[in-house]
Every structure is written in structure tokens, then in C-alpha cells.
Amino acid sequence: MRRLDLKVSGGQRWVLQEKVNGYGLDTSHFVKRSPWRKYPDAAIAEAAASSSSLREVALKLGAAPATGALSHVRRRISAAGIDVDHFPGLNQDDVDLPFATDELRTAAAAVTSVRAVARELGVPDDSPNCHALTETWCRRKDRAPLAG
């Protein structure tokens, strides 16, 4: 990216990766330099064993407990098969929101965000409900895009 004088960002990298894949170029020799690789699975497992939340795991690893970091920690824990059954609420079933496509479409047309869609439908605009709304919407075949 630097050699092409492109701004180094996640979005630019994604666009470049899609272009490279479109041309069928081999990138298997590229070294991934994720800062998270400095935390081996064993370190994550050790932090998880002595923690009661993803936030604690991130802090023990020396990472800022921001949303992206917590999502990454959760994916790494899942991929490594690390036991986190002792984390309260982490493995709860997804919230199921039984709204008809027309109800979702009407609510989405009236507002500009997923949280606002939740409020429009009369449900709390918390993360589990917003995630469930987005997932429900994405499973619908006759949908228009739901505002982010």
C-alpha cells in the first residue's frame, strides 16, 4: 500500500485486497502483521482462565478494552476453543425478534440507524437487540439495505 502511495487504513486495505483477489494474484507470501499475534493462544487462555469477562482478558493482555478489541478477543477465544463458560452472559442465546418484513421495512424507512429501528419498533436499543435486528434483516430475501 505504501509503495502505491495509498493511505494505510483498513478500508483501503480491504479494497486493495479485493482488487488483488479479482486479478487472481498469489499473496500467500505476504506476512500478516497483526498486533494481536503478540498474544499467543496460551496467553489468551491463561488470561481467560483467571478472568470473568472479555474486558478483563483484554486488560490482562495489555490491550485497551474497546469494542473492536473485545470482538477480536472473543473471536480468538472461539477459534482456539478456550473455555469461557465461567463468563456470565457471554454464551447466552441470541435475542429473537419476531417482526414481519413489512414492519422492519417501515421502521427502517423512517429512521437512519439500527438503534433507531429498534426504538421505532418499541424494543430496547441495546447491542443484543440491534444485533438481532441486523441478523433478522439480513436473512430476509426481499429487503432493502438496513441503515447502519
Side-chain angles (χ1 to χ4, degrees):
M1 290 181 71
R2 287 183 189 95
R3 287 185 182 177
L4 294 171
D5 290 326
L6 295 174
K7 178 182 170 191
V8 179
S9 71
Q12 286 285 345
R13 186 186 56 203
W14 183 83
V15 169
L16 181 59
Q17 185 176 352
E18 288 297 307
K19 295 273 188 195
V20 168
N21 289 341
Y23 285 112
L25 300 174
D26 178 27
T27 59
S28 62
H29 60 286
F30 288 3
V31 177
K32 293 187 181 204
R33 296 187 182 162
S34 169
W36 282 96
R37 282 292 144 201
K38 68 181 176 182
Y39 305 115
D41 290 346
I44 295 172
E46 183 179 330
S50 62
S51 299
S52 61
S53 69
L54 291 174
R55 184 178 191 285
E56 280 185 53
V57 173
L59 290 171
K60 287 180 181 180
L61 293 172
T67 304
L70 298 180
S71 295
H72 186 84
V73 166
R74 185 172 184 161
R75 284 191 305 273
R76 291 281 308 276
I77 286 171
S78 179
I82 297 169
D83 178 27
V84 289
D85 286 342
H86 59 285
F87 287 16
L90 183 65
N91 296 317
Q92 290 179 348
D93 292 336
D94 289 336
V95 176
D96 185 22
L97 299 171
F99 297 108
T101 301
D102 288 341
E103 290 175 287
L104 284 170
R105 184 180 292 117
T106 301
V111 296
T112 59
S113 72
V114 175
R115 289 193 185 282
V117 170
R119 289 189 298 268
E120 189 77 15
L121 292 168
V123 297
D125 63 351
D126 57 9
S127 292
N129 283 336
C130 288
H131 176 74
L133 275 170
T134 302
E135 290 297 309
T136 300
W137 188 257
C138 289
R139 286 191 300 263
R140 306 292 166 105
K141 301 228 186 284
D142 59 342
R143 71 198 180 325
L146 184 60

